[in-house]
Amino acid sequence: MGRRPGTPAPAPTPPPGADPRREIAPLPEASVLLCAGAGSTPGPGGASGIRSWVGFPRGGFGRESRCGSRQMPAPREAQLSFRMGQKRQRLLEAKQHQKPPDRTQTPSPKEPRLGLPSTLGPQRSIYFSNLKVCPARLGSEFFDQPAVPLARAFLGQVLVRRLDDGTELRGRIVETEAYLGPEDEAAHSRGGRQTPRNRGMFMKPGTLYVYLIYGMYFCMNVSSRGDGACVLLRALEPLGGLEAMRQLRSTLRKGATGRALKDRELCNGPSKLCQALAIDKSFDQRDLATDEAVWLEQGPRESAVVAAARVGIGHAGEWAHKPLRFYVQGSPWVSVVDRAAERTAQA
């Protein structure tokens, strides 16, 4: 018999013998059953009277749990759903732990700052660079000055020679001589004379002019501003690589004896410093501002400077007496001390 439109459908009639109160809809998959009852033991969370477990069926469909709830439809599907629920829970916990870093926190002193540098320009790596301040190599602008002020400016600067094996020899310049060019009767360029031998004197400031004297010794000059003008390096105070200097001097010294050289004897003369630094004719016309085997580093400026006559130029007439030699007063590394010039400087 049909029912009148608009009226709700009647509830299904339970089968004979069934208890209507026990007809409960199945729980969703992977549901966790929480059962409360007297005498229940505390659960893992510490809540008294609560017992929890997953109601996996053991005797087929329709078997009830201890709470009276119907269990999972099938063992395999229930286990799979339970594992997926655990995975979702772990992902949720991982996201909660992944909080964005607080960029306002101050790193500990032992931790490097990884943010942007406070100043622009070249930065020093804290992992691969020495934190000690390295001396500045002097460039072409340092050499671009007349011979006399350049000869004075050389005093206190550090001459560096790197050998083929990587050993670096260092010495502070303590004595120089200035040669003014064509007008200077003691200069190799006197009268404007240019030869293949003295070509370095006419090249740009900072060019080395290395020549041979007595057929066995070398002297090293550096060109300055002005054609044919240069500065002779006469003496150094040894700073680094002294044993290598001593060995080079002993090997290259003519008529060498078995006596070991004292430190002050290593570089106290123009030919001696060339021997100690292994400077020969192959260094002629090299650029002291850019060369990889020899260069000049900035050192302390010397204030007590003596101006005296140059050495070994008696043939130059009045130019032999001009005070164009400069040395650091009181330095034990100077080749020749002029007491009269020192008294004049102190007067």
Side-chain angles (χ1 to χ4, degrees), residues 151-152 155 174-178 232 234 305-311 322-327 334-339 341:
R152 287 179 170 270
L155 299 178
V174 296
E175 185 180 1
T176 60
E177 287 182 353
L232 171 68
R234 282 198 59 90
V305 176
V306 177
R310 294 173 291 186
V311 179
K322 292 186 179 294
L324 295 175
R325 181 168 68 98
F326 307 96
Y327 66 86
V334 174
S335 63
V336 179
V337 175
D338 191 327
R339 298 301 181 187

Side-chain angles (χ1 to χ4, degrees), residues 4-198:
R4 186 177 302 174
T7 60
T13 303
D19 188 352
R21 294 174 298 175
R22 300 177 66 95
E23 290 300 320
I24 303 175
L27 294 176
E29 294 182 0
S31 297
V32 178
L33 305 182
L34 300 178
C35 299
S40 299
T41 58
S48 177
I50 300 298
R51 180 177 299 168
S52 62
W53 66 86
V54 176
F56 294 139
R58 297 182 182 177
F61 298 118
R63 186 168 182 176
E64 300 170 0
S65 67
R66 294 178 60 180
C67 294
S69 300
R70 191 172 298 278
Q71 297 179 349
M72 298 299 124
R76 179 174 298 180
E77 294 180 1
Q79 293 178 5
L80 178 61
S81 299
F82 176 65
R83 292 173 184 172
M84 292 178 63
Q86 285 186 321
K87 184 175 181 181
R88 284 195 296 268
Q89 183 67 19
R90 287 195 296 268
L91 291 175
L92 180 60
E93 293 177 355
K95 289 182 179 179
Q96 291 177 351
H97 284 45
Q98 292 178 355
K99 297 181 179 179
D102 186 2
R103 302 186 182 276
T104 62
Q105 294 180 354
T106 303
S108 64
K110 296 183 179 180
E111 294 179 354
R113 289 184 178 271
L114 302 180
L116 293 176
S118 57
T119 57
L120 298 179
Q123 300 293 319
R124 184 186 301 275
S125 169
I126 65 173
Y127 299 105
F128 307 107
S129 299
N130 193 341
L131 296 180
K132 295 174 63 178
V133 177
C134 298
R137 175 173 180 159
L138 296 175
S140 301
E141 64 281 355
F142 172 82
F143 306 103
D144 191 12
Q145 52 185 313
V148 171
L150 180 60
R152 287 179 170 270
F154 265 122
L155 299 178
Q157 313 303 340
V158 178
L159 184 66
V160 184
R161 167 76 166 96
R162 178 179 292 160
L163 303 179
D164 293 339
D165 62 356
T167 302
E168 291 189 358
L169 313 176
R170 279 180 162 78
R172 182 181 292 111
I173 300 173
V174 296
E175 185 180 1
T176 60
E177 287 182 353
Y179 291 86
L180 308 187
E183 60 178 321
D184 189 345
E185 289 297 325
H188 291 177
S189 59
R190 60 184 178 273
R193 180 175 54 184
Q194 298 188 40
T195 66
R197 176 176 180 257
N198 72 351

